[in-house]
Amino acid sequence: MAEFLVDLMMNQEATTLKSTTCQHVLKEETDELVKAFIKKEANGSGSAIDMRNITKILSNLFDCLNNLSDEKIATMKWMSPVLSKCIQTNDGTIRASVQILLQRLLDGAKPTAANAKVDGTSVEEKA
């Protein structure tokens, strides 16, 4: 399933990623992977091999997300609460990927100089 998610994100146009069905699949599957990772980490359940495997899957998924264009990232508003679940993980690689993704989401939410408004007038109109 993780490979499907990666292919879906990398090969689709941003307009396709905006569809409700696509967003639902991405959110639900990413959320399930994050939950499984957190559960394994918290319980220490399973073998070291299981933990290594799920960490690798999640790391690959986060790397894929980090490689998406800003336009595609902007279509995934659901990511913030999903990613926030593993911000305090003990795994440094996962934590760093989550922090980068959350920062990109926050940066995308900020108005750019081109569309920022001051006193109801755009910055460009004031210049």
Side-chain angles (χ1 to χ4, degrees):
M1 183 52 90
E3 287 180 32
F4 169 73
L5 294 175
V6 169
D7 286 343
L8 181 65
M9 289 183 283
M10 295 302 288
N11 296 321
Q12 299 300 318
E13 298 294 320
T15 54
T16 304
L17 287 176
K18 288 180 184 177
S19 76
T20 304
T21 304
C22 186
Q23 289 293 313
H24 178 74
V25 168
L26 290 171
K27 178 186 182 289
E28 292 302 315
E29 294 304 321
T30 303
D31 191 41
E32 289 303 315
L33 281 170
V34 167
K35 285 179 185 176
F37 171 79
I38 292 168
K39 183 178 179 181
K40 284 200 179 288
E41 185 179 54
N43 301 15
S45 64
S47 68
I49 294 171
D50 288 342
M51 191 63 201
R52 185 187 70 218
N53 288 341
I54 196 159
T55 300
K56 184 177 179 182
I57 291 168
L58 199 57
S59 182
N60 288 342
L61 180 62
F62 289 166
D63 287 346
C64 174
L65 289 168
N66 274 319
N67 287 323
L68 292 177
S69 68
D70 289 341
E71 182 183 16
K72 287 182 179 180
I73 288 287
T75 67
M76 301 178 189
K77 304 292 185 200
W78 52 265
M79 270 200 307
S80 185
V82 171
L83 295 174
S84 295
K85 293 175 185 175
C86 56
I87 194 70
Q88 294 184 357
T89 179
N90 292 326
D91 187 285
T93 303
I94 298 293
R95 190 174 52 249
S97 291
V98 167
Q99 289 170 341
I100 291 167
L101 281 166
L102 289 173
Q103 188 61 52
R104 285 188 69 198
L105 286 167
L106 288 172
D107 289 346
K110 294 178 185 173
T112 62
N115 65 10
K117 300 259 180 178
V118 178
D119 298 330
T121 308
S122 73
V123 172
E124 291 176 342
E125 291 171 6
K126 291 214 178 243

